[in-house]
Amino acid sequence: MSTIRSGEGHNVRVTSHRRARTALLAALLAPALLLSACGGESNQKPNVQGSTDLPRGSVKVPDGITLTKAGTALKFGEPAVVAYEPNTQRSSVLSVTVSSVQAGKIADFAAYQLDDRTRKSRPYYVRTTVKNIGTGDLSGAAVPLLAVNNTNALVQPSTFTNRSLAQCPSTALPAGFVAGKAYQGCLVYLMPDGGSLVEMSYRPLQAFEPITWKGAILPVKAEASKGAKAKVGNNKKKKKANP
């Protein structure tokens, strides 16, 4: 069985109950990006002002496009324009919008065998819209968003192999994501130890204030009772019988 080692040194072992093949869920934390670490200077705020420009790297920014400044606080549904360079081979300018955040439940992962630590986590489903408004090709690149939990730590999105989660696929940008393309997706974030998601963040470097998104987090989606489902089914049958 394959194993994924998380950033905190935990092994996350996930298998599918429904199929013989293994499906892996990477619930990875990013301890190197902790906003509140123990001791030292980790708790100090960056010296850079929040209104400064984020670094562009080698990203070519087309004329007429203004990048969102570091430290900008946005609401769900508002876009940020960022220069994104996932590696030295690919880069472009993205318009990134956190459309909504909804709480999930660990029961959504019933098809997977989770370890004890992962069972104690609280899932959130973050729906996004990403547009490539630059000139580069970002096919297969990760959506550059991190969740901030109630301990002020950054949490990476979970990823799946073989079979994604039906409620929220949590996939990378699609193939052919070139200039002018747009993508609406959903990312899974597992808050460790039953923690809560506070805000979403775009932060390419620790030395800069992040661009953040906040808003009302939608509650866990209620499931229809068996009686209600049966009633809906009976109504459908009646409509078919009486056109």
Side-chain angles (χ1 to χ4, degrees):
M1 182 186 298
S2 301
T3 301
I4 294 176
R5 186 173 299 278
S6 77
E8 289 190 339
H10 302 284
N11 290 330
V12 180
R13 192 182 297 271
V14 182
T15 59
S16 170
H17 293 311
R18 298 174 183 172
R19 300 184 185 184
R21 64 184 183 182
T22 300
L24 299 179
L25 164 63
L28 304 180
L29 304 181
L33 296 176
L34 287 178
L35 302 182
S36 293
C38 298
E41 298 181 351
S42 299
N43 291 326
Q44 295 182 356
K45 292 184 178 180
N47 295 324
V48 182
Q49 296 295 321
S51 61
T52 59
D53 293 328
L54 287 167
R56 298 184 182 185
S58 60
V59 179
K60 181 181 178 182
V61 179
D63 294 338
I65 289 181
T66 301
L67 300 180
T68 303
K69 292 184 178 297
T72 299
L74 300 170
K75 297 178 181 179
F76 293 161
E78 295 180 338
V81 178
V82 300
Y84 183 37
E85 188 174 32
N87 55 52
T88 57
Q89 304 299 318
R90 294 181 295 171
S91 65
S92 195
V93 178
L94 294 179
S95 171
V96 181
T97 303
V98 176
S99 303
S100 66
V101 176
Q102 183 172 38
K105 54 186 185 299
I106 204 64
D108 294 341
F109 299 82
Y112 301 92
Q113 182 180 338
L114 308 178
D115 62 18
D116 291 339
R117 176 174 170 79
T118 307
R119 287 194 195 96
K120 296 177 182 177
S121 62
R122 181 181 298 177
Y124 286 85
Y125 306 141
V126 178
R127 286 170 175 79
T128 64
T129 298
V130 182
K131 298 178 182 178
N132 189 341
I133 58 175
T135 60
D137 184 348
L138 290 175
S139 301
V143 178
L145 288 173
L146 297 173
V148 182
N149 72 4
N150 56 302
T151 66
N152 210 26
L154 295 176
V155 180
Q156 295 180 359
S158 301
T159 57
F160 300 84
T161 60
N162 296 334
R163 184 166 57 84
S164 60
L165 185 70
Q167 292 87 343
C168 186
S170 202
T171 57
L173 295 173
F177 197 70
V178 295
K181 294 294 183 179
Y183 172 67
Q184 291 184 332
C186 183
L187 298 172
V188 174
Y189 294 85
L190 294 177
M191 300 298 109
D193 303 317
S196 57
L197 188 152
V198 176
E199 64 183 16
M200 297 301 298
S201 172
Y202 172 80
R203 189 175 196 173
L205 292 175
Q206 184 77 6
F208 291 82
E209 291 282 1
I211 297 169
T212 59
W213 288 262
K214 281 187 175 182
I217 295 179
L218 302 174
V220 175
K221 186 176 181 180
E223 293 184 357
S225 64
K226 292 183 179 180
K229 290 180 179 179
K231 185 176 181 180
V232 171
N234 290 334
N235 288 338
K236 287 183 178 179
K237 290 179 180 179
K238 289 179 180 179
K239 288 181 179 179
K240 289 182 179 180
N242 300 292

